[in-house]
């Protein structure tokens, strides 16, 4: 893992955006794995201001909540359109997210087929959950897992309730790309900011490797850029 630590979240977001921009400029037909969450808002804001064409790229998002349709304000379909896709020139039929509607098992299987058709991902963007999750692969997820339906942990439901009216509104399940597909990506960029992520970053980078910390799986990948602000890096013995 390659660590770059910045004084501020904004500097970290801009640097991570620059890594993605460089990938797309070098290889305009890149397959990019997109991520959601509060952490990525600044990155998308920076990236859409950069002079980069996404016309030939193809995008695969990590995950979607089960039960939320694409127009639900808290769905990741809506998040991506609102914060990024509506502001860039990517072709509509090159945008892929797991469906939150219909049978979740079928949605997972269909996504897995699409990934097999267009993958592997050239650059996978990741955030990290406070419990070390990547995508919605919660502690216990297999490191070689494919796209699957996953029950959200209490920690994740509590953390994500800030985006909903209250905790009871947070879906209990999600469809997520598996750790297996994430590890197949040629390059991974993980962005984490804030003291709330310091323990998860430490566990990912320096704790034991195992299913109890899904992000620790990334230590088996040859090309991971970890981009942090000082608060998220605070517990590392770098
Ligand atoms: C969410 C997403 C993850 C994201 C993580 C952190 O639940 N499924 O892909 O990395 O949790 O989110 P945030 O950036 O809001 O802390």
């Amino acid at each position: 893992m390659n660590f770059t630590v910045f004084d501020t979240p904004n500097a970290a977001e801009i640097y991570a955006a620059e890594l993605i921009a460089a990938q797309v400029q070098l290889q305009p037909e890149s397959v990019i794995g997109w991520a959601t969450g509060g952490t990525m808002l600044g990155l998308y804001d920076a990236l859409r201001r950069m002079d980069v064409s996404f016309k030939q790229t193809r995008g695969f998002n990590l995950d979607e909540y089960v039960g939320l349709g694409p127009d639900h304000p808290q769905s990741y379909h809506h998040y991506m359109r609102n914060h990024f896709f509506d502001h860039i020139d990517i072709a509509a039929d090159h945008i892929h997210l797991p469906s939150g509607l219909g049978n979740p098992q079928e949605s997972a299987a269909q996504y897995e087929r699409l990934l097999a058709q267009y993958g592997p991902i050239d650059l996978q963007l990741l955030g990290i959950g406070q419990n070390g999750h990547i995508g919605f692969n919660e502690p216990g997820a297999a490191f070689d897992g494919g796209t699957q339906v996953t029950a959200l942990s209490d920690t994740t439901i509590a953390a994500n309730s800030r985006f909903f009216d209250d905790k009871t509104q947070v879906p209990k399940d999600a469809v997520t790309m598996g750790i297996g597909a994430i590890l197949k990506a040629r390059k991974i960029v993980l962005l984490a900011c804030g003291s709330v992520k310091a323990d998860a970053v430490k566990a990912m980078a320096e704790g034991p490797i195992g299913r109890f910390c899904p992000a620790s799986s990334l230590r088996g990948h040859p090309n991971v850029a970890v981009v942090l602000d000082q608060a998220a890096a605070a517990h590392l013995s770098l």
Side-chain angles (χ1 to χ4, degrees):
M1 283 182 161
N2 215 326
F3 293 86
T4 315
V5 182
F6 292 88
D7 285 345
T8 64
N10 190 240
E13 290 153 7
I14 290 171
Y15 179 72
E18 281 168 350
L19 293 179
I20 297 170
Q23 168 71 36
V24 174
Q25 275 157 345
L26 207 66
Q27 194 186 329
E29 294 180 8
S30 292
V31 180
I32 307 288
W34 297 113
T36 50
T39 307
M40 300 301 158
L41 292 173
L43 178 148
Y44 288 129
D45 187 56
L47 194 52
R48 70 196 213 199
R49 290 167 200 273
M50 291 177 185
D51 188 22
V52 183
S53 172
F54 292 88
K55 210 175 184 106
Q56 297 178 69
T57 63
R58 187 172 288 279
F60 280 91
N61 262 81
L62 282 165
D63 44 21
E64 181 56 285
Y65 290 110
V66 168
L68 301 195
D71 293 326
H72 189 288
Q74 296 314 329
S75 73
Y76 288 156
H77 282 74
H78 187 272
Y79 172 110
M80 289 305 294
R81 280 202 314 271
N82 193 25
H83 296 296
F84 194 49
F85 293 146
D86 280 355
H87 307 275
I88 59 167
D89 59 351
I90 190 169
D93 61 347
H94 281 198
I95 294 172
H96 306 287
L97 292 94
S99 172
L101 297 179
N103 179 315
Q105 306 290 350
E106 275 171 25
S107 162
Q110 191 200 4
Y111 208 61
E112 196 61 20
R113 285 194 292 276
L114 278 174
L115 280 166
Q117 187 179 350
Y118 295 112
I121 287 166
D122 293 301
L123 186 153
Q124 176 66 56
L125 176 63
L126 290 178
I128 185 169
Q130 290 173 35
N131 62 358
H133 76 218
I134 48 176
F136 269 135
N137 293 285
E138 298 281 33
F143 284 8
D144 59 356
T147 306
Q148 60 199 271
V149 185
T150 177
L152 301 182
S153 68
D154 292 343
T155 321
T156 299
I157 290 174
N160 289 6
S161 65
R162 70 192 196 277
F163 299 115
F164 292 80
D165 289 342
D166 64 72
K167 210 171 141 180
T168 63
Q169 303 295 306
V170 184
K172 304 272 183 289
D173 303 289
V175 178
T176 185
M177 196 188 288
I179 298 177
I182 292 171
L183 293 180
K184 275 188 210 139
R186 294 196 166 94
K187 179 175 185 158
I188 294 173
V189 175
L190 185 141
L191 174 65
C193 296
S195 56
V196 76
K197 299 294 172 68
D199 285 340
V201 167
K202 166 95 176 162
M204 166 184 76
E206 297 174 359
I209 295 175
R211 285 185 180 205
F212 40 81
C213 180
S216 69
S217 65
L218 301 174
R219 287 183 15 225
H221 189 283
N223 192 349
V224 183
V226 181
V227 183
L228 305 171
D229 72 342
Q230 267 176 358
H235 297 172
L236 291 178
S237 50
L238 284 174

